[in-house]
Every structure is written in structure tokens, then in C-alpha cells.
Amino acid sequence: MFVSGGWDSTLQVYDLRVKAPVAAIRGPLVCGADAIDFKKDGWQVITGSYRQEEALEVYDLRKNEKVRTFDWNGAAQNKNKPDVETINYGNTI
């Protein structure tokens, strides 16, 4: 399984066995190539979005839905551009 995201504000979930998308989850506006990361369990992904609100979100791929949002004050430094282009799912989340 792998996940891609982009300017269409969706996560596309692919199953390598069927060689096609198996789900589309509406939500993040991913603009950086490294703004999606899997949790070690393989079922949750964290995303970084190019927007002011809900810039950091966690999605559960079993439910195809958002399960958590993190406050991000990076936008306070530049009100026009939160600019989350890379993210890493650490052990503390």
C-alpha cells in the first residue's frame, strides 16, 4: 500500500496488488513531496498541508477518515503561508 497527496486536497490510497487507487480521502492540501508519513502500524498517516487551518492531520486508512488534528502555529510567523512541506511521524504521536 502507498499513499499520495496533492493540490486536489485528497489522499489517494493505492493497493499494489490491484495496481490502482482503492480509496480517496478528502482533506489535506499536500504540496511538499515529503508531507506524508506512515505510522509504524501501517494504518495511520500524518499529513502536512499548505493552508492556515488544520495544517497537520492524522488519517486512519482502515476507516478512510481523519482521526486527529494538531495545532500548528508556524503560520503565525508568516500569515500568508503555513508552508508545511515535510513531516515525520515520530514515536511520541
Side-chain angles (χ1 to χ4, degrees), residues 26-71:
R26 185 117 177 97
L29 177 61
V30 176
C31 70
D34 296 325
I36 300 172
D37 194 27
F38 276 89
K39 187 174 181 179
K40 288 182 181 181
D41 69 7
W43 291 111
Q44 289 189 348
V45 295
I46 189 167
T47 62
S49 292
Y50 188 79
R51 61 179 178 218
Q52 297 289 329
E53 294 81 25
E54 299 182 340
L56 302 173
E57 300 168 299
V58 177
Y59 292 86
D60 188 317
L61 300 180
R62 293 169 291 197
K63 301 174 184 177
N64 292 330
E65 65 184 32
K66 181 170 44 176
V67 293
R68 189 168 180 189
T69 302
F70 292 95
D71 291 332

Side-chain angles (χ1 to χ4, degrees), residues 2-3 5 7 10 12-13 27 32 35-36 38 50 52 61 73 77 80 83 85 93:
F2 72 92
V3 175
W7 289 88
T10 66
Q12 300 292 321
V13 182
I36 300 172
F38 276 89
Y50 188 79
Q52 297 289 329
L61 300 180
N73 64 358
Q77 298 170 1
N80 297 320
D83 205 16
E85 294 184 7
I93 299 174

